[in-house]
C-alpha cells in the first residue's frame, strides 16, 4: 500500500460516497489532488469505481465551497471570524437548557467523528437528543437484525462470498445504479449457472442484468416473504439454521399466507409466486439481499423480519453464499450506526439503557454515570420537535454533515420547524438547503481533508487518509467539535493533542462491545483492512459473524412474527415511491453541483398511466399527497408498474414535500418513504425533456 502522508504524489483513501467504500489513489500536483485511480487491491471493488467516485474531486474546490464562518446578521448570512462565531455558540447554547438542544449527525461521517459527536452531545451539551440521517436509511434492517441475532453488521460475510450463491433475491435493491461494483459478483453468480431475481416495482438496470424480475406493489415485499415461507413449510423445506425462540409462532403465522392471497395482495400472478418459491426451495445456497425498498416503510422492520425469518428457517442464514444481508447505502452507513450518534446508543453499539454499558463509557469519559442522559428523540421526532414550545420541544440544533431540509420526511413541515429554532448551527463544507436556514454556518472538512476510518457494507474497516488541508478558514470537523466544547466551557475530554489521540480513544471505547474495534490501529489498517469484531491487536478479524451462539442473553436467536398489511390506498390514488438515481447521492448537496453528474428531476410514470392522465413525456405534472405537492416534468417509464409513480429524492422542494413526517415504524422509527398515496394533476407548461427516463426501462 502506498504511503499516506501529506505532499506525496499519491495518497490512498476511500470514496466519499456509497457504502462499497472503493479505495482509490489520489494523484497530487503541487499539493492538490488532480486525478483518481481505482486500486486493484480494493477488497470489494477490485479496481472498479463508478462515475460518482471518479468525479468526486470536482467538489473539492467548488466555487460554492464554504471557507469562512457565516453568522446571520440582519437576516443575511455574513462572513465572520472564528472568534465571533464561537462567541455566538457560547452565548446561544449557554442560554438554552440542555434538554432543549438537539444534535443531528450523518451516516457519511467517519467512525471517529461519529464517536466524537455522540460524546460531544452527551458530555459537552448534556442533551439526550442526538440522532442522525441513517435513521432514514438502514434503521429497519438494523432493528430486525439486532432483535433477532443481537448483531447488526450489514453483510455478515465478505463480498467475495456473493459469487457462491446459487440464488440471489435482490429485494428493493437497485445494485447496478447504487452500488455498481457489486454487479461483478452478480455476474459471477450467473456465470456459475446461478439465478438472480430482482424484486422491485420498477424495472431497472439491475433487473435487466438479473434476468428475472418480479414487480410487487410498493410496500408488499414482506407479504411475498410470508408467502414463500408458507410454501417452504408446505413443501417440507423447513430446516432452521439453529434452535431459536419464536419459530413455532412464526411458522404458524405463515399458514395465513397461501399463494393466492399473497399474489392478490402483492399484485403478482400466482404462477410468479410459485416459480419464485420453487427456485428458493431448490437452490443449495439462497441469499436474500435487501435495499431501501423493503426497509423505508412504517412497517420496514417487520418487512425485513419476514425475509430474515425465511432465511433462518430454511437453514440458509449463516451458510457461506446464503442467508440474509442488507446492502448499506451511505459511505459510512455501517460505522455511523455503531458508535454513539443514535439516540439510544453508546460506542461499540452499546445500549444507553444498559447500566453496565453506561458505566463502561462513563469511566472512559471520566464523568459520573448518572450524568449520561437517557435516550432522546429519534431523527424524525427530533426534527418534528424543532421550534416547538412545551415539553420535548427544541430551541437549538447542531447539524453536522447532513441536510434534513431535503432528506427528512415531510420537508415542508421540517423546514418550518428549522426556521422556528432560535439557533440552528450547521457544520458543512458546501451550502446545503439546511445551511441556508442556519443562524450560524461553520465551514468543515471534506473527505480527503481529514484522517479517519470508515466501515463498509460488509463491516470492513478501512483508513480514510488526508491528502490536503481544508481551504481558507475551514477546519477539520473533529477540531470544530472540540472548539465548540471549549466555547461552552466544557473542554474536559475534548483537548486531543492530535487526531491520533482521538482515534486511539475511539478504538479503546469499543473494547468488549459487540462492535469491537479495539484491536485496530492505523498501523494495522495500513497492513490490511479488517472486518469487526477485532478484539485484540494480535488477534484475527471476523469475516463471518452471523453464526451461533449469537450475542444474546442465552446465545439463541429470537424470531418475531411480522405484523404486516398491504399499504393503504385512496380513491383514484397511485402509489408514490421514492429512491436514488445512479449519478446522485443523498440530498444532492455535492452531486447536484458536480458538472460531471448533471441530471434533472423527473417524475417516472408508466406510458399507459400517463396517457390516462392526459400526460406526455416532458409535460409538467403536479404530484399531490396528504402532506404536500411537488411539480416536475414527466419521464415515461414502461418498466414501472402502472399503479406506481417514482420520483428521486436528491432535489429540494420535491420528493420529501410529499412524504409523511409523522407516521413512523414502531421499532426503527423510520418514516414511510417508499409508499404514499398520490394523485397526478397536469400542470400548464411542457418542458423539453427526453422521453427516456433517467433509469433505463426494461421491456
Ligand atoms: Fe465506489 Fe460507491 Fe464511490 Fe461509486 S460511489 S466509487 S461505488 S464507493
Amino acid at each position: 500500500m502506498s504511503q499516506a502522508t501529506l505532499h506525496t504524489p499519491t495518497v490512498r483513501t476511500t470514496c466519499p460516497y456509497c457504502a462499497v467504500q472503493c479505495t482509490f489513489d489520489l494523484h497530487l500536483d503541487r499539493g492538490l489532488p488532480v486525478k483518481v485511480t481505482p486500486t486493484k487491491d480494493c477488497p470489494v471493488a477490485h479496481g472498479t469505481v463508478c462515475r460518482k467516485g471518479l468525479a468526486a474531486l470536482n467538489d473539492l474546490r467548488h466555487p460554492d465551497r464554504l471557507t469562512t464562518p457565516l453568522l446571520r446578521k440582519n437576516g443575511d448570512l455574513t462572513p465572520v471570524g472564528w472568534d465571533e462565531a464561537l462567541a455566538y455558540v457560547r452565548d446561544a447554547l449557554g442560554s438554552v437548557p440542555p434538554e432543549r438542544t438537539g444534535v443531528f449527525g450523518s451516516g457519511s461521517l467517519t467512525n471517529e467523528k461519529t464517536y466524537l459527536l455522540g460524546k460531544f452531545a452527551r458530555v459537552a451539551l448534556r442533551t439526550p437528543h442526538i440522532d442522525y440521517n441513517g435513521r432514514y436509511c438502514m434503521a429497519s434492517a438494523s432493528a430486525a437484525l439486532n432483535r433477532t441475532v443481537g448483531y447488526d453488521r450489514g453483510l455478515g460475510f465478505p463480498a467475495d462470498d456473493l459469487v457462491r450463491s446459487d440464488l440471489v433475491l435482490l429485494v428493493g435493491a437497485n445494485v447496478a445504479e447504487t452500488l455498481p461494483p457489486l454487479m461483478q459478483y452478480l455476474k459471477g453468480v450467473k456465470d456459475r449457472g446461478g439465478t438472480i431475481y430482482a424484486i422491485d416495482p420498477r424495472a431497472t438496470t439491475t433487473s435487466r442484468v438479473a434476468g428475472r424480475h418480479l414487480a410487487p406493489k410498493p410496500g408488499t415485499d414482506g407479504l411475498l416473504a410470508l408467502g414463500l415461507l408458507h410454501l417452504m413449510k408446505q413443501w417440507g423445506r423447513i430446516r432452521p439454521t439453529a434452535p431459536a425462540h419464536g419459530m413455532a409462532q412464526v411458522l404458524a403465522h405463515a399458514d395465513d399466507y397461501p399463494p393466492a392471497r399473497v399474489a392478490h395482495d402483492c399484485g403478482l400472478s400466482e404462477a410468479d409466486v410459485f416459480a419464485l418459491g420453487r427456485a428458493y426451495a431448490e437452490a443449495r445456497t439462497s441469499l436474500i439481499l435487501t435495499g431501501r425498498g423493503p426497509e423505508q416503510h412504517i412497517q420496514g422492520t417487520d418487512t425485513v423480519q419476514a425475509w430474515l425469518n425465511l432465511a433462518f428457517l430454511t437453514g440458509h442464514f449463516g451458510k457461506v453464499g446464503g442467508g440474509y444481508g442488507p446492502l448499506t447505502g451511505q459511505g459510512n452507513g455501517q460505522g455511523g450506526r455503531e458508535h454513539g450518534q443514535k439516540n439510544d446508543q453508546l460506542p461499540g453499539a452499546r445500549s444507553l439503557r444498559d447500566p453496565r454499558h453506561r458505566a463502561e463509557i462513563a469511566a472512559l469519559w471520566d464523568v459520573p454515570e448518572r450524568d449520561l442522559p437517557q435516550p432522546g428523540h429519534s431523527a424524525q421526532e427530533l426534527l418534528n420537535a424543532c421550534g416547538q414550545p412545551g415539553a420535548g420541544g427544541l430551541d437549538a440544533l447542531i447539524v453536522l454533515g447532513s441536510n434534513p431540509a431535503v432528506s427528512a420526511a415531510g420537508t415542508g413541515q421540517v423546514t418550518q420547524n428549522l426556521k422556528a429554532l432560535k439557533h440552528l448551527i450547521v457544520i458543512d463544507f458546501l451550502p446545503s438547503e439546511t445551511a441556508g436556514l442556519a443562524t450560524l454556518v461553520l465551514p468543515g472538512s471534506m473527505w480527503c481533508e481529514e484522517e479517519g476510518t470508515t466501515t463498509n457494507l460488509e463491516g470492513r474497516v478501512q483508513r480514510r487518509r488526508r491528502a490536503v488541508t481544508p481551504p481558507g478558514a475551514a477546519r477539520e470537523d473533529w477540531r470544530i467539535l472540540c472548539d465548540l466544547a471549549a466555547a461552552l466551557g466544557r473542554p474536559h475530554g475534548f483537548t486531543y493533542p492530535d487526531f491520533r489521540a482521538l482515534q486511539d480513544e475511539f478504538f479503546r471505547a469499543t473494547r468488549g462491545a459487540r462492535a469491537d474495534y479495539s484491536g485496530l490501529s492505523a498501523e494495522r489498517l495500513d497492513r490490511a483492512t479488517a472486518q469487526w469484531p477485532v478484539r485484540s491487536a494480535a488477534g484475527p478479524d471476523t469475516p463471518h459473524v452471523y453464526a451461533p451462539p449469537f450475542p444474546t442473553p442465552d446465545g439463541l436467536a429470537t424470531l418475531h412474527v411480522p405484523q404486516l398489511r398491504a399499504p393503504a390506498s385512496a380513491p383514484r390514488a397511485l402509489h408514490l415511491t421514492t429512491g436514488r438515481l445512479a449519478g446522485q447521492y443523498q440530498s444532492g448537496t455535492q452531486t447536484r453541483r458536480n458538472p460531471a453528474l448533471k441530471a434533472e428531476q423527473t417524475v417516472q410514470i408508466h406510458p399507459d398511466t400517463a396517457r390516462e392522465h392526459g400526460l406526455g413525456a416532458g409535460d409538467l405534472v403536479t404530484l399531490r399527497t396528504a402532506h404536500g405537492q411537488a411539480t416536475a416534468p414527466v419521464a415515461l417509464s414502461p418498466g414501472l408498474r402502472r399503479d406506481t409513480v417514482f420520483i428521486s429524492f436528491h432535489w429540494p422542494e420535491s420528493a420529501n414535500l410529499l412524504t409523511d413526517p409523522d407516521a413512523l415504524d414502531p421499532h426503527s422509527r423510520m418514516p414511510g418513504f417508499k409508499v404514499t398515496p398520490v394523485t397526478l394533476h397536469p400542470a400548464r407548461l411542457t418542458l423539453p425533456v427526453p422521453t427516456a427516463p433517467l433509469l433505463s426501462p426494461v421491456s
Side-chain angles (χ1 to χ4, degrees):
M1 191 173 283
S2 62
Q3 281 296 304
T5 54
L6 284 173
H7 314 303
T8 53
T10 63
V11 175
R12 180 156 300 183
T13 191
T14 60
C15 176
Y17 296 122
C18 86
V20 175
Q21 282 296 279
C22 296
T23 55
F24 41 65
D25 287 331
L26 293 183
H27 300 265
L28 303 175
D29 181 15
R30 280 161 287 180
L32 270 185
V34 290
K35 189 176 156 204
V36 166
T37 308
T39 56
K40 285 212 178 325
D41 47 355
C42 175
V44 178
H46 299 300
T48 64
V49 291
C50 78
R51 63 194 176 108
K52 282 204 291 288
L54 288 172
L57 286 179
N58 290 345
D59 299 333
L60 200 60
R61 293 294 179 263
H62 192 282
D64 291 349
R65 184 67 198 274
L66 296 168
T67 57
T68 186
L70 301 169
L71 183 61
R72 195 168 293 279
K73 293 182 178 178
N74 301 320
D76 295 327
L77 285 170
T78 307
V80 295
W82 276 97
D83 287 348
E84 188 174 349
L86 292 172
Y88 170 86
V89 171
R90 180 196 62 217
D91 296 343
L93 299 187
S95 67
V96 175
E99 72 278 8
R100 295 192 67 82
T101 303
V103 177
F104 200 93
S106 165
S108 293
L109 306 182
T110 59
N111 291 319
E112 290 78 3
K113 287 197 291 186
T114 296
Y115 165 78
L116 189 62
L117 190 67
K119 180 180 178 184
F120 171 78
R122 275 109 188 186
V123 175
L125 284 177
R126 300 177 185 168
T127 179
H129 303 306
I130 172 170
D131 213 69
Y132 79 125
N133 64 13
R135 185 70 66 179
Y136 300 141
C137 189
M138 294 294 305
S140 295
S142 180
L145 276 166
N146 272 316
R147 74 181 185 179
T148 303
V149 294
Y151 261 125
D152 160 31
R153 205 195 70 180
L155 298 184
F157 47 82
D160 284 345
D161 281 7
L162 290 170
V163 291
R164 299 170 72 173
S165 304
D166 295 331
L167 173 69
V168 179
L169 308 188
L170 295 168
V171 187
N174 185 7
V175 175
E177 313 233 15
T178 56
L179 307 164
L182 294 192
M183 291 307 285
Q184 62 193 291
Y185 299 101
L186 299 178
K187 286 177 180 145
V189 169
K190 291 190 79 174
D191 290 347
R192 284 182 50 253
T195 302
I196 303 173
Y197 268 90
I199 298 170
D200 195 318
R202 295 186 299 150
T204 62
T205 308
T206 307
S207 63
R208 182 169 51 208
V209 174
R212 297 185 194 216
H213 177 213
L214 287 187
K217 284 181 201 167
T220 63
D221 309 289
L223 299 174
L224 182 58
L226 289 171
L228 294 180
L229 185 60
H230 179 101
L231 288 174
M232 297 309 116
K233 184 178 175 188
Q234 202 173 54
W235 295 342
R237 300 286 175 160
I238 301 302
R239 306 160 182 143
T241 290
H245 302 290
M247 290 195 295
Q249 294 90 328
V250 167
L251 285 167
H253 176 252
D255 290 344
D256 295 339
Y257 294 87
R261 174 185 173 183
V262 167
H264 173 267
D265 288 352
C266 296
L268 299 171
S269 74
E270 228 177 302
D272 278 344
V273 176
F274 271 111
L276 179 63
R278 265 194 304 277
Y280 194 81
E282 289 167 6
R284 205 170 36 86
T285 51
S286 293
L287 177 62
I288 298 161
L289 297 173
T290 59
R292 300 302 78 74
E295 299 168 14
Q296 289 179 315
H297 293 279
I298 58 171
Q299 46 188 14
T301 304
D302 278 359
T303 299
V304 170
Q305 186 76 54
W307 291 103
L308 184 50
N309 289 348
L310 176 67
F312 195 97
L313 286 166
T314 51
H316 292 293
F317 189 78
K319 195 194 264 187
V320 174
Y324 166 75
L327 295 169
T328 298
Q330 289 196 76
N332 195 31
Q334 182 63 46
R337 64 182 189 267
E338 296 167 355
H339 300 301
Q341 65 175 330
K342 286 172 79 173
N343 69 329
D344 58 353
Q345 189 192 60
L346 289 168
R350 288 182 175 91
S351 170
L352 199 50
R353 294 186 179 88
D354 185 316
R356 183 169 61 84
H357 293 176
R358 293 172 63 87
E360 287 167 354
I361 293 302
L364 180 81
W365 288 349
D366 192 24
V367 296
E369 181 268 324
R370 65 177 179 279
D371 284 359
L372 290 180
Q374 291 293 328
H377 297 317
S378 67
Q380 188 71 37
E381 290 157 311
L382 195 152
L383 296 170
N384 291 349
C386 285
Q388 302 304 307
L394 300 178
D395 297 324
L397 182 70
I398 297 176
V399 178
L400 173 55
S402 190
N403 189 14
V406 175
S407 60
T411 46
Q413 176 181 305
V414 166
T415 298
Q416 291 310 313
N417 289 1
L418 294 176
K419 284 180 180 170
L421 287 164
K422 288 182 185 154
H423 308 289
L424 173 59
I425 298 169
V426 174
I427 306 167
D428 216 325
F429 46 76
L430 283 166
S432 68
E433 285 69 21
T434 305
L437 303 172
T439 53
L440 176 68
V441 180
L442 297 174
S445 45
M446 294 189 80
W447 53 289
C448 61
E449 295 167 352
E450 58 187 14
E451 291 285 320
T453 56
T454 60
T455 306
N456 77 357
L457 77 177
E458 27 146 43
R460 185 184 302 278
V461 188
Q462 309 187 105
R463 278 194 71 180
R464 181 169 283 182
R465 296 183 179 86
R466 187 170 65 143
V468 287
T469 51
R475 293 182 179 175
E476 289 167 88
D477 292 346
W478 73 271
R479 288 192 188 277
I480 295 175
L481 292 176
C482 294
D483 291 342
L484 296 185
L488 292 169
R490 301 203 178 102
H492 183 60
F494 298 92
T495 53
Y496 304 100
D498 53 26
F499 175 79
R500 184 60 185 266
L502 165 62
Q503 184 173 60
D504 288 346
E505 179 183 295
F506 156 64
F507 287 142
R508 271 201 316 282
T510 65
R511 179 167 297 142
R514 287 177 186 170
D516 190 335
Y517 289 38
S518 63
L520 293 178
S521 62
E523 289 74 19
R524 179 168 177 167
L525 290 172
D526 277 341
R527 292 193 297 276
T529 62
Q531 288 175 273
W532 68 259
V534 188
R535 297 190 173 93
S536 68
D541 72 336
T542 314
H544 298 91
V545 290
Y546 294 137
F550 298 108
T552 57
D554 60 3
L556 298 182
T558 298
L559 307 189
H560 298 261
V561 174
Q563 306 296 335
L564 296 170
R565 60 189 187 286
S569 56
R572 294 187 301 283
L574 302 165
H575 302 296
L576 174 74
T577 195
T578 66
R580 299 167 200 258
L581 300 182
Q584 295 293 309
Y585 182 69
Q586 302 298 82
S587 69
T589 302
Q590 292 156 271
T591 50
R592 276 187 277 122
R593 288 186 163 84
N594 194 320
L597 303 173
K598 208 164 165 40
E600 287 176 23
Q601 178 69 297
T602 58
V603 179
Q604 294 184 23
I605 307 175
H606 190 278
D608 294 348
T609 309
R611 205 174 306 117
E612 284 164 17
H613 287 80
L615 293 164
D619 290 351
L620 279 180
V621 60
T622 297
L623 308 181
R624 284 194 193 131
T625 70
H627 318 289
Q629 65 177 43
T631 300
V634 171
L636 299 179
S637 182
L640 188 61
R641 284 182 63 94
R642 286 174 173 75
D643 59 5
T644 300
V645 171
F646 172 86
I647 189 167
S648 72
F649 52 53
H650 307 296
W651 277 266
E653 304 289 313
S654 189
N656 280 318
L657 284 174
L658 305 165
T659 50
D660 184 351
D662 296 315
L664 302 177
D665 180 294
H667 311 287
S668 66
R669 315 309 288 163
M670 171 76 81
F673 293 107
K674 283 290 189 267
V675 55
T676 309
V678 67
T679 54
L680 308 187
H681 307 271
R684 298 238 162 129
L685 290 170
T686 295
L687 296 185
V689 298
T691 53
L694 292 167
L695 294 173
S696 313
V698 178
S699 54

